[in-house]
Amino acid sequence: MKSLKQNIRRVLKERINVSYRIATKELDKEVMNKRLFIEVITQLKEIEDRKDFLADEIGLDMTAYEDKFFAVIEDLFRMNFNKAQIGIIQAYIYEATRPEDWDGTVTIEVSKKDIKTFDLKTPEELWSVLQILSKD
């Protein structure tokens, strides 16, 4: 990190001769959580797609092997998400790979009088829906 700061100082000193201070700022916890969540969900979808490919195209069923890994991951989700959120996560991971079974939307009760339908086609959209469900 120090060499990066030194390089920035050197370039700025060469280009414009001004006084300045360089400081690093950590990412906001919420931004980091969102980024990590999206990465995890993307990887889980890729694992699920690969499992389906191996089963359909090669005839190799990895379910028995992967079950314990998925059980651990789901338990970690249970530590951070409520029951409704986990249901949406599971639907996204397992059902979104089968577009003939699901249109990529979810209908949730936003308030006692308000029911809305949301797109659920990307991990970012999933994160947004989970934030709505976290208010319960």
Side-chain angles (χ1 to χ4, degrees):
M1 186 57 102
K2 190 172 185 174
S3 65
L4 177 62
K5 285 183 180 180
Q6 289 171 343
N7 287 338
I8 293 171
R9 279 191 179 99
R10 183 183 49 77
V11 169
L12 288 174
K13 184 73 171 169
E14 290 172 3
R15 308 274 179 187
I16 52 175
N17 194 10
V18 295
S19 297
Y20 55 87
R21 180 177 178 171
I22 298 174
T24 56
K25 181 180 174 187
E26 289 188 30
L27 279 178
D28 177 78
K29 185 176 180 179
E30 189 64 27
V31 171
M32 182 59 81
N33 286 345
K34 179 180 179 180
R35 185 179 291 172
L36 289 171
F37 177 81
I38 289 169
E39 186 176 313
V40 166
I41 293 298
T42 300
Q43 291 173 352
L44 286 172
K45 289 278 296 150
E46 289 170 1
I47 291 167
E48 186 66 17
D49 291 345
R50 184 177 58 204
K51 182 187 81 158
D52 289 345
F53 171 79
L54 289 171
D56 295 342
E57 302 297 324
I58 300 176
L60 183 60
D61 187 6
M62 298 295 291
T63 304
Y65 175 76
E66 293 177 339
D67 275 351
K68 289 200 180 274
F69 294 108
F70 278 105
V72 168
I73 293 165
E74 287 179 4
D75 286 343
L76 290 170
F77 280 153
R78 283 186 188 90
M79 291 171 59
N80 292 294
F81 298 105
N82 64 39
K83 194 173 184 176
Q85 290 172 313
I86 291 170
I88 299 293
I89 292 169
Q90 289 172 332
Y92 179 81
I93 293 170
Y94 303 117
E95 301 301 320
T97 58
R98 296 166 187 84
E100 65 277 359
D101 297 337
W102 185 44
D103 67 354
T105 63
V106 63
T107 303
I108 61 172
E109 186 177 319
V110 180
S111 66
K112 297 213 185 293
K113 297 180 181 181
D114 194 16
I115 296 175
K116 291 187 178 180
T117 299
F118 297 92
D119 283 332
L120 201 59
K121 296 178 178 115
T122 67
E124 291 83 1
E125 291 171 342
L126 174 60
W127 178 260
S128 296
V129 169
L130 294 178
Q131 298 317 295
I132 293 167
L133 290 172
S134 71
K135 294 173 176 65
D136 293 338

